[in-house]
Amino acid sequence: MIIWLNGTFGAGKTTTAKELTALLPGSRVFDTEEVGIMLRHVLSTEVVRDFQDWQPWRGLVVAAAKQILDYVGGTLVIPQAVLVHQYWREIRTGLETAGIPLQHFVLHAEHDELLRRIETDPVIPNSSWRLEHLDDYDEARSWHRREAHIIDTTDLRPQQVAMRIAADATRV
């Protein structure tokens, strides 16, 4: 199974993913940004705004997830913002075709809280790249509402969010 944690930067995906794997035996985090980093070396001449714009990223994420699950089983927790609906449909369809059960959660935080989290991030404070994607997130919210379980993280600690997701995931 895959538990996909979607949402914009600062919503708590990475921290929640770590908490979630501590709650779900046999689970592990699959950081699909590493696939994008790998492709940057190969596709550096193909200029894009985001590595997700490269079609090979979407296909490789699906292929790698299938290979990993075939090899070790369990649950993959993927903390990755996908804000372009077409890209999400490609990934979701690929996972469905591969027979991989998918649970899609969007971690949401109110705008002021997102700004606070981005501005005070201990690793990359005031990231202009993250701030520039807030409008993309706002545009994605309409399809996120239709295609995911939304969890408002504004006033929750990551452990609380992880506990909610774990409870939902074990019901299936």
Side-chain angles (χ1 to χ4, degrees), residues 7 20 27 40 57 64 66 68 93 100 104-105 117 131 142 144 147 151 153 159:
L20 186 56
S27 66
R40 281 193 179 118
W57 177 82
K66 180 177 180 352
I68 293 166
T93 300
I100 301 170
H104 182 202
F105 295 88
R117 291 178 188 181
L131 291 168
S142 63
H144 282 167
E147 299 187 28
I151 298 177
T153 68
Q159 185 179 30

mmCIF file with all atom_site columns, all heavy atoms in Angstrom, residues 7 20 27 40 57 64 66 68 93 100 104-105 117 131 142 144 147 151 153 159:
data_model
loop_
_atom_site.group_PDB
_atom_site.id
_atom_site.type_symbol
_atom_site.label_atom_id
_atom_site.label_alt_id
_atom_site.label_comp_id
_atom_site.label_asym_id
_atom_site.label_entity_id
_atom_site.label_seq_id
_atom_site.pdbx_PDB_ins_code
_atom_site.Cartn_x
_atom_site.Cartn_y
_atom_site.Cartn_z
_atom_site.occupancy
_atom_site.B_iso_or_equiv
_atom_site.pdbx_formal_charge
_atom_site.auth_seq_id
_atom_site.auth_comp_id
_atom_site.auth_asym_id
_atom_site.auth_atom_id
_atom_site.pdbx_PDB_model_num
ATOM 1   N N   . GLY A 1 7   ? 0.036   18.132 -0.292  1.00 0.00 ? 7   GLY A N   1
ATOM 2   C CA  . GLY A 1 7   ? -0.154  19.427 0.351   1.00 0.00 ? 7   GLY A CA  1
ATOM 3   C C   . GLY A 1 7   ? 1.030   20.312 0.049   1.00 0.00 ? 7   GLY A C   1
ATOM 4   O O   . GLY A 1 7   ? 2.049   19.844 -0.461  1.00 0.00 ? 7   GLY A O   1
ATOM 5   N N   . LEU A 1 20  ? 4.518   8.831  11.088  1.00 0.00 ? 20  LEU A N   1
ATOM 6   C CA  . LEU A 1 20  ? 3.631   7.783  10.607  1.00 0.00 ? 20  LEU A CA  1
ATOM 7   C C   . LEU A 1 20  ? 4.361   6.448  10.487  1.00 0.00 ? 20  LEU A C   1
ATOM 8   O O   . LEU A 1 20  ? 3.812   5.403  10.860  1.00 0.00 ? 20  LEU A O   1
ATOM 9   C CB  . LEU A 1 20  ? 3.027   8.204  9.262   1.00 0.00 ? 20  LEU A CB  1
ATOM 10  C CG  . LEU A 1 20  ? 1.957   7.318  8.658   1.00 0.00 ? 20  LEU A CG  1
ATOM 11  C CD1 . LEU A 1 20  ? 0.785   7.127  9.620   1.00 0.00 ? 20  LEU A CD1 1
ATOM 12  C CD2 . LEU A 1 20  ? 1.463   7.934  7.348   1.00 0.00 ? 20  LEU A CD2 1
ATOM 13  N N   . SER A 1 27  ? 6.419   -0.134 7.472   1.00 0.00 ? 27  SER A N   1
ATOM 14  C CA  . SER A 1 27  ? 6.314   1.031  6.587   1.00 0.00 ? 27  SER A CA  1
ATOM 15  C C   . SER A 1 27  ? 7.664   1.725  6.495   1.00 0.00 ? 27  SER A C   1
ATOM 16  O O   . SER A 1 27  ? 8.509   1.582  7.363   1.00 0.00 ? 27  SER A O   1
ATOM 17  C CB  . SER A 1 27  ? 5.245   2.004  7.087   1.00 0.00 ? 27  SER A CB  1
ATOM 18  O OG  . SER A 1 27  ? 5.619   2.570  8.326   1.00 0.00 ? 27  SER A OG  1
ATOM 19  N N   . ARG A 1 40  ? 17.734  15.414 -12.608 1.00 0.00 ? 40  ARG A N   1
ATOM 20  C CA  . ARG A 1 40  ? 18.379  16.704 -12.884 1.00 0.00 ? 40  ARG A CA  1
ATOM 21  C C   . ARG A 1 40  ? 19.723  16.510 -13.582 1.00 0.00 ? 40  ARG A C   1
ATOM 22  O O   . ARG A 1 40  ? 20.109  17.304 -14.423 1.00 0.00 ? 40  ARG A O   1
ATOM 23  C CB  . ARG A 1 40  ? 18.560  17.498 -11.596 1.00 0.00 ? 40  ARG A CB  1
ATOM 24  C CG  . ARG A 1 40  ? 17.303  18.163 -11.152 1.00 0.00 ? 40  ARG A CG  1
ATOM 25  C CD  . ARG A 1 40  ? 17.582  19.203 -10.062 1.00 0.00 ? 40  ARG A CD  1
ATOM 26  N NE  . ARG A 1 40  ? 16.322  19.824 -9.709  1.00 0.00 ? 40  ARG A NE  1
ATOM 27  C CZ  . ARG A 1 40  ? 15.766  19.768 -8.516  1.00 0.00 ? 40  ARG A CZ  1
ATOM 28  N NH1 . ARG A 1 40  ? 16.375  19.151 -7.528  1.00 0.00 ? 40  ARG A NH1 1
ATOM 29  N NH2 . ARG A 1 40  ? 14.619  20.361 -8.271  1.00 0.00 ? 40  ARG A NH2 1
ATOM 30  N N   . TRP A 1 57  ? 9.806   11.680 -14.498 1.00 0.00 ? 57  TRP A N   1
ATOM 31  C CA  . TRP A 1 57  ? 9.697   11.672 -13.038 1.00 0.00 ? 57  TRP A CA  1
ATOM 32  C C   . TRP A 1 57  ? 8.445   10.916 -12.616 1.00 0.00 ? 57  TRP A C   1
ATOM 33  O O   . TRP A 1 57  ? 8.497   10.039 -11.748 1.00 0.00 ? 57  TRP A O   1
ATOM 34  C CB  . TRP A 1 57  ? 9.682   13.099 -12.456 1.00 0.00 ? 57  TRP A CB  1
ATOM 35  C CG  . TRP A 1 57  ? 9.508   13.087 -10.962 1.00 0.00 ? 57  TRP A CG  1
ATOM 36  C CD1 . TRP A 1 57  ? 10.497  12.889 -10.031 1.00 0.00 ? 57  TRP A CD1 1
ATOM 37  C CD2 . TRP A 1 57  ? 8.295   13.235 -10.231 1.00 0.00 ? 57  TRP A CD2 1
ATOM 38  N NE1 . TRP A 1 57  ? 9.966   12.905 -8.767  1.00 0.00 ? 57  TRP A NE1 1
ATOM 39  C CE2 . TRP A 1 57  ? 8.607   13.120 -8.861  1.00 0.00 ? 57  TRP A CE2 1
ATOM 40  C CE3 . TRP A 1 57  ? 6.964   13.456 -10.588 1.00 0.00 ? 57  TRP A CE3 1
ATOM 41  C CZ2 . TRP A 1 57  ? 7.655   13.212 -7.852  1.00 0.00 ? 57  TRP A CZ2 1
ATOM 42  C CZ3 . TRP A 1 57  ? 6.009   13.547 -9.588  1.00 0.00 ? 57  TRP A CZ3 1
ATOM 43  C CH2 . TRP A 1 57  ? 6.361   13.423 -8.235  1.00 0.00 ? 57  TRP A CH2 1
ATOM 44  N N   . ALA A 1 64  ? 9.381   2.852  -9.487  1.00 0.00 ? 64  ALA A N   1
ATOM 45  C CA  . ALA A 1 64  ? 10.192  2.629  -8.291  1.00 0.00 ? 64  ALA A CA  1
ATOM 46  C C   . ALA A 1 64  ? 9.328   2.161  -7.129  1.00 0.00 ? 64  ALA A C   1
ATOM 47  O O   . ALA A 1 64  ? 9.715   1.240  -6.393  1.00 0.00 ? 64  ALA A O   1
ATOM 48  C CB  . ALA A 1 64  ? 10.945  3.909  -7.923  1.00 0.00 ? 64  ALA A CB  1
ATOM 49  N N   . LYS A 1 66  ? 6.559   0.482  -7.267  1.00 0.00 ? 66  LYS A N   1
ATOM 50  C CA  . LYS A 1 66  ? 6.204   -0.920 -7.519  1.00 0.00 ? 66  LYS A CA  1
ATOM 51  C C   . LYS A 1 66  ? 7.382   -1.837 -7.215  1.00 0.00 ? 66  LYS A C   1
ATOM 52  O O   . LYS A 1 66  ? 7.225   -2.865 -6.549  1.00 0.00 ? 66  LYS A O   1
ATOM 53  C CB  . LYS A 1 66  ? 5.745   -1.108 -8.961  1.00 0.00 ? 66  LYS A CB  1
ATOM 54  C CG  . LYS A 1 66  ? 5.362   -2.562 -9.243  1.00 0.00 ? 66  LYS A CG  1
ATOM 55  C CD  . LYS A 1 66  ? 4.842   -2.762 -10.619 1.00 0.00 ? 66  LYS A CD  1
ATOM 56  C CE  . LYS A 1 66  ? 4.448   -4.186 -10.942 1.00 0.00 ? 66  LYS A CE  1
ATOM 57  N NZ  . LYS A 1 66  ? 4.740   -5.244 -10.024 1.00 0.00 ? 66  LYS A NZ  1
ATOM 58  N N   . ILE A 1 68  ? 9.948   -1.319 -5.237  1.00 0.00 ? 68  ILE A N   1
ATOM 59  C CA  . ILE A 1 68  ? 10.226  -1.335 -3.799  1.00 0.00 ? 68  ILE A CA  1
ATOM 60  C C   . ILE A 1 68  ? 9.225   -2.225 -3.075  1.00 0.00 ? 68  ILE A C   1
ATOM 61  O O   . ILE A 1 68  ? 9.601   -3.070 -2.250  1.00 0.00 ? 68  ILE A O   1
ATOM 62  C CB  . ILE A 1 68  ? 10.221  0.097  -3.223  1.00 0.00 ? 68  ILE A CB  1
ATOM 63  C CG1 . ILE A 1 68  ? 11.379  0.905  -3.783  1.00 0.00 ? 68  ILE A CG1 1
ATOM 64  C CG2 . ILE A 1 68  ? 10.269  0.070  -1.692  1.00 0.00 ? 68  ILE A CG2 1
ATOM 65  C CD1 . ILE A 1 68  ? 11.269  2.405  -3.555  1.00 0.00 ? 68  ILE A CD1 1
ATOM 66  N N   . THR A 1 93  ? -3.143  6.703  -11.771 1.00 0.00 ? 93  THR A N   1
ATOM 67  C CA  . THR A 1 93  ? -3.467  5.673  -12.765 1.00 0.00 ? 93  THR A CA  1
ATOM 68  C C   . THR A 1 93  ? -2.353  4.630  -12.852 1.00 0.00 ? 93  THR A C   1
ATOM 69  O O   . THR A 1 93  ? -2.625  3.426  -12.928 1.00 0.00 ? 93  THR A O   1
ATOM 70  C CB  . THR A 1 93  ? -3.728  6.316  -14.140 1.00 0.00 ? 93  THR A CB  1
ATOM 71  O OG1 . THR A 1 93  ? -4.829  7.224  -14.018 1.00 0.00 ? 93  THR A OG1 1
ATOM 72  C CG2 . THR A 1 93  ? -4.037  5.269  -15.194 1.00 0.00 ? 93  THR A CG2 1
ATOM 73  N N   . ILE A 1 100 ? -1.450  -1.363 -6.965  1.00 0.00 ? 100 ILE A N   1
ATOM 74  C CA  . ILE A 1 100 ? -0.983  -0.883 -5.662  1.00 0.00 ? 100 ILE A CA  1
ATOM 75  C C   . ILE A 1 100 ? -2.094  -0.077 -4.992  1.00 0.00 ? 100 ILE A C   1
ATOM 76  O O   . ILE A 1 100 ? -2.504  0.962  -5.516  1.00 0.00 ? 100 ILE A O   1
ATOM 77  C CB  . ILE A 1 100 ? 0.284   -0.013 -5.806  1.00 0.00 ? 100 ILE A CB  1
ATOM 78  C CG1 . ILE A 1 100 ? 1.400   -0.817 -6.466  1.00 0.00 ? 100 ILE A CG1 1
ATOM 79  C CG2 . ILE A 1 100 ? 0.719   0.537  -4.448  1.00 0.00 ? 100 ILE A CG2 1
ATOM 80  C CD1 . ILE A 1 100 ? 2.606   0.007  -6.863  1.00 0.00 ? 100 ILE A CD1 1
ATOM 81  N N   . HIS A 1 104 ? -4.723  8.638  -0.333  1.00 0.00 ? 104 HIS A N   1
ATOM 82  C CA  . HIS A 1 104 ? -4.245  9.982  -0.654  1.00 0.00 ? 104 HIS A CA  1
ATOM 83  C C   . HIS A 1 104 ? -4.745  10.952 0.411   1.00 0.00 ? 104 HIS A C   1
ATOM 84  O O   . HIS A 1 104 ? -5.952  11.128 0.571   1.00 0.00 ? 104 HIS A O   1
ATOM 85  C CB  . HIS A 1 104 ? -4.778  10.356 -2.043  1.00 0.00 ? 104 HIS A CB  1
ATOM 86  C CG  . HIS A 1 104 ? -4.335  11.683 -2.549  1.00 0.00 ? 104 HIS A CG  1
ATOM 87  N ND1 . HIS A 1 104 ? -5.033  12.365 -3.516  1.00 0.00 ? 104 HIS A ND1 1
ATOM 88  C CD2 . HIS A 1 104 ? -3.267  12.467 -2.250  1.00 0.00 ? 104 HIS A CD2 1
ATOM 89  C CE1 . HIS A 1 104 ? -4.410  13.498 -3.793  1.00 0.00 ? 104 HIS A CE1 1
ATOM 90  N NE2 . HIS A 1 104 ? -3.346  13.578 -3.031  1.00 0.00 ? 104 HIS A NE2 1
ATOM 91  N N   . PHE A 1 105 ? -3.820  11.562 1.117   1.00 0.00 ? 105 PHE A N   1
ATOM 92  C CA  . PHE A 1 105 ? -4.143  12.551 2.134   1.00 0.00 ? 105 PHE A CA  1
ATOM 93  C C   . PHE A 1 105 ? -3.518  13.885 1.741   1.00 0.00 ? 105 PHE A C   1
ATOM 94  O O   . PHE A 1 105 ? -2.384  13.920 1.268   1.00 0.00 ? 105 PHE A O   1
ATOM 95  C CB  . PHE A 1 105 ? -3.578  12.144 3.500   1.00 0.00 ? 105 PHE A CB  1
ATOM 96  C CG  . PHE A 1 105 ? -4.191  10.894 4.054   1.00 0.00 ? 105 PHE A CG  1
ATOM 97  C CD1 . PHE A 1 105 ? -3.672  9.654  3.750   1.00 0.00 ? 105 PHE A CD1 1
ATOM 98  C CD2 . PHE A 1 105 ? -5.299  10.966 4.884   1.00 0.00 ? 105 PHE A CD2 1
ATOM 99  C CE1 . PHE A 1 105 ? -4.238  8.496  4.253   1.00 0.00 ? 105 PHE A CE1 1
ATOM 100 C CE2 . PHE A 1 105 ? -5.873  9.819  5.393   1.00 0.00 ? 105 PHE A CE2 1
ATOM 101 C CZ  . PHE A 1 105 ? -5.341  8.575  5.072   1.00 0.00 ? 105 PHE A CZ  1
ATOM 102 N N   . ARG A 1 117 ? 5.378   28.907 9.054   1.00 0.00 ? 117 ARG A N   1
ATOM 103 C CA  . ARG A 1 117 ? 6.211   27.703 8.992   1.00 0.00 ? 117 ARG A CA  1
ATOM 104 C C   . ARG A 1 117 ? 7.314   27.829 7.953   1.00 0.00 ? 117 ARG A C   1
ATOM 105 O O   . ARG A 1 117 ? 8.451   27.410 8.204   1.00 0.00 ? 117 ARG A O   1
ATOM 106 C CB  . ARG A 1 117 ? 5.342   26.480 8.676   1.00 0.00 ? 117 ARG A CB  1
ATOM 107 C CG  . ARG A 1 117 ? 4.404   26.096 9.799   1.00 0.00 ? 117 ARG A CG  1
ATOM 108 C CD  . ARG A 1 117 ? 3.535   24.915 9.395   1.00 0.00 ? 117 ARG A CD  1
ATOM 109 N NE  . ARG A 1 117 ? 2.503   24.638 10.378  1.00 0.00 ? 117 ARG A NE  1
ATOM 110 C CZ  . ARG A 1 117 ? 1.627   23.646 10.252  1.00 0.00 ? 117 ARG A CZ  1
ATOM 111 N NH1 . ARG A 1 117 ? 1.660   22.854 9.187   1.00 0.00 ? 117 ARG A NH1 1
ATOM 112 N NH2 . ARG A 1 117 ? 0.697   23.459 11.180  1.00 0.00 ? 117 ARG A NH2 1
ATOM 113 N N   . LEU A 1 131 ? 7.498   29.748 -1.072  1.00 0.00 ? 131 LEU A N   1
ATOM 114 C CA  . LEU A 1 131 ? 6.507   30.830 -1.047  1.00 0.00 ? 131 LEU A CA  1
ATOM 115 C C   . LEU A 1 131 ? 5.857   31.011 -2.417  1.00 0.00 ? 131 LEU A C   1
ATOM 116 O O   . LEU A 1 131 ? 4.654   31.258 -2.506  1.00 0.00 ? 131 LEU A O   1
ATOM 117 C CB  . LEU A 1 131 ? 7.162   32.130 -0.583  1.00 0.00 ? 131 LEU A CB  1
ATOM 118 C CG  . LEU A 1 131 ? 7.584   32.157 0.894   1.00 0.00 ? 131 LEU A CG  1
ATOM 119 C CD1 . LEU A 1 131 ? 8.486   33.358 1.166   1.00 0.00 ? 131 LEU A CD1 1
ATOM 120 C CD2 . LEU A 1 131 ? 6.380   32.163 1.809   1.00 0.00 ? 131 LEU A CD2 1
ATOM 121 N N   . SER A 1 142 ? -9.162  22.681 -5.131  1.00 0.00 ? 142 SER A N   1
ATOM 122 C CA  . SER A 1 142 ? -10.469 22.208 -5.604  1.00 0.00 ? 142 SER A CA  1
ATOM 123 C C   . SER A 1 142 ? -10.409 20.721 -5.957  1.00 0.00 ? 142 SER A C   1
ATOM 124 O O   . SER A 1 142 ? -11.297 19.957 -5.575  1.00 0.00 ? 142 SER A O   1
ATOM 125 C CB  . SER A 1 142 ? -10.959 23.034 -6.788  1.00 0.00 ? 142 SER A CB  1
ATOM 126 O OG  . SER A 1 142 ? -10.082 22.885 -7.884  1.00 0.00 ? 142 SER A OG  1
ATOM 127 N N   . HIS A 1 144 ? -8.030  18.613 -4.929  1.00 0.00 ? 144 HIS A N   1
ATOM 128 C CA  . HIS A 1 144 ? -7.637  17.909 -3.704  1.00 0.00 ? 144 HIS A CA  1
ATOM 129 C C   . HIS A 1 144 ? -8.875  17.542 -2.885  1.00 0.00 ? 144 HIS A C   1
ATOM 130 O O   . HIS A 1 144 ? -8.973  16.431 -2.364  1.00 0.00 ? 144 HIS A O   1
ATOM 131 C CB  . HIS A 1 144 ? -6.713  18.778 -2.843  1.00 0.00 ? 144 HIS A CB  1
ATOM 132 C CG  . HIS A 1 144 ? -5.300  18.819 -3.314  1.00 0.00 ? 144 HIS A CG  1
ATOM 133 N ND1 . HIS A 1 144 ? -4.399  19.733 -2.824  1.00 0.00 ? 144 HIS A ND1 1
ATOM 134 C CD2 . HIS A 1 144 ? -4.603  18.078 -4.211  1.00 0.00 ? 144 HIS A CD2 1
ATOM 135 C CE1 . HIS A 1 144 ? -3.227  19.552 -3.394  1.00 0.00 ? 144 HIS A CE1 1
ATOM 136 N NE2 . HIS A 1 144 ? -3.325  18.557 -4.251  1.00 0.00 ? 144 HIS A NE2 1
ATOM 137 N N   . GLU A 1 147 ? -10.472 14.475 -4.370  1.00 0.00 ? 147 GLU A N   1
ATOM 138 C CA  . GLU A 1 147 ? -9.705  13.247 -4.573  1.00 0.00 ? 147 GLU A CA  1
ATOM 139 C C   . GLU A 1 147 ? -8.836  12.821 -3.395  1.00 0.00 ? 147 GLU A C   1
ATOM 140 O O   . GLU A 1 147 ? -8.031  11.899 -3.543  1.00 0.00 ? 147 GLU A O   1
ATOM 141 C CB  . GLU A 1 147 ? -8.831  13.397 -5.819  1.00 0.00 ? 147 GLU A CB  1
ATOM 142 C CG  . GLU A 1 147 ? -9.653  13.621 -7.067  1.00 0.00 ? 147 GLU A CG  1
ATOM 143 C CD  . GLU A 1 147 ? -8.826  13.595 -8.334  1.00 0.00 ? 147 GLU A CD  1
ATOM 144 O OE1 . GLU A 1 147 ? -7.788  12.920 -8.366  1.00 0.00 ? 147 GLU A OE1 1
ATOM 145 O OE2 . GLU A 1 147 ? -9.250  14.246 -9.300  1.00 0.00 ? 147 GLU A OE2 1
ATOM 146 N N   . ILE A 1 151 ? -6.723  16.830 5.816   1.00 0.00 ? 151 ILE A N   1
ATOM 147 C CA  . ILE A 1 151 ? -6.483  16.941 7.260   1.00 0.00 ? 151 ILE A CA  1
ATOM 148 C C   . ILE A 1 151 ? -5.923  18.333 7.515   1.00 0.00 ? 151 ILE A C   1
ATOM 149 O O   . ILE A 1 151 ? -4.861  18.689 6.989   1.00 0.00 ? 151 ILE A O   1
ATOM 150 C CB  . ILE A 1 151 ? -5.506  15.867 7.766   1.00 0.00 ? 151 ILE A CB  1
ATOM 151 C CG1 . ILE A 1 151 ? -6.100  14.471 7.522   1.00 0.00 ? 151 ILE A CG1 1
ATOM 152 C CG2 . ILE A 1 151 ? -5.208  16.081 9.252   1.00 0.00 ? 151 ILE A CG2 1
ATOM 153 C CD1 . ILE A 1 151 ? -5.187  13.344 7.907   1.00 0.00 ? 151 ILE A CD1 1
ATOM 154 N N   . THR A 1 153 ? -3.903  20.712 9.406   1.00 0.00 ? 153 THR A N   1
ATOM 155 C CA  . THR A 1 153 ? -2.780  20.606 10.342  1.00 0.00 ? 153 THR A CA  1
ATOM 156 C C   . THR A 1 153 ? -2.487  21.913 11.065  1.00 0.00 ? 153 THR A C   1
ATOM 157 O O   . THR A 1 153 ? -1.526  21.982 11.825  1.00 0.00 ? 153 THR A O   1
ATOM 158 C CB  . THR A 1 153 ? -1.501  20.153 9.598   1.00 0.00 ? 153 THR A CB  1
ATOM 159 O OG1 . THR A 1 153 ? -1.081  21.207 8.717   1.00 0.00 ? 153 THR A OG1 1
ATOM 160 C CG2 . THR A 1 153 ? -1.721  18.872 8.828   1.00 0.00 ? 153 THR A CG2 1
ATOM 161 N N   . GLN A 1 159 ? 2.561   14.437 15.230  1.00 0.00 ? 159 GLN A N   1
ATOM 162 C CA  . GLN A 1 159 ? 2.193   13.140 15.806  1.00 0.00 ? 159 GLN A CA  1
ATOM 163 C C   . GLN A 1 159 ? 0.673   12.946 15.797  1.00 0.00 ? 159 GLN A C   1
ATOM 164 O O   . GLN A 1 159 ? 0.184   11.852 15.524  1.00 0.00 ? 159 GLN A O   1
ATOM 165 C CB  . GLN A 1 159 ? 2.739   12.991 17.223  1.00 0.00 ? 159 GLN A CB  1
ATOM 166 C CG  . GLN A 1 159 ? 2.465   11.603 17.783  1.00 0.00 ? 159 GLN A CG  1
ATOM 167 C CD  . GLN A 1 159 ? 3.011   11.416 19.176  1.00 0.00 ? 159 GLN A CD  1
ATOM 168 O OE1 . GLN A 1 159 ? 3.091   12.367 19.952  1.00 0.00 ? 159 GLN A OE1 1
ATOM 169 N NE2 . GLN A 1 159 ? 3.381   10.192 19.499  1.00 0.00 ? 159 GLN A NE2 1
#
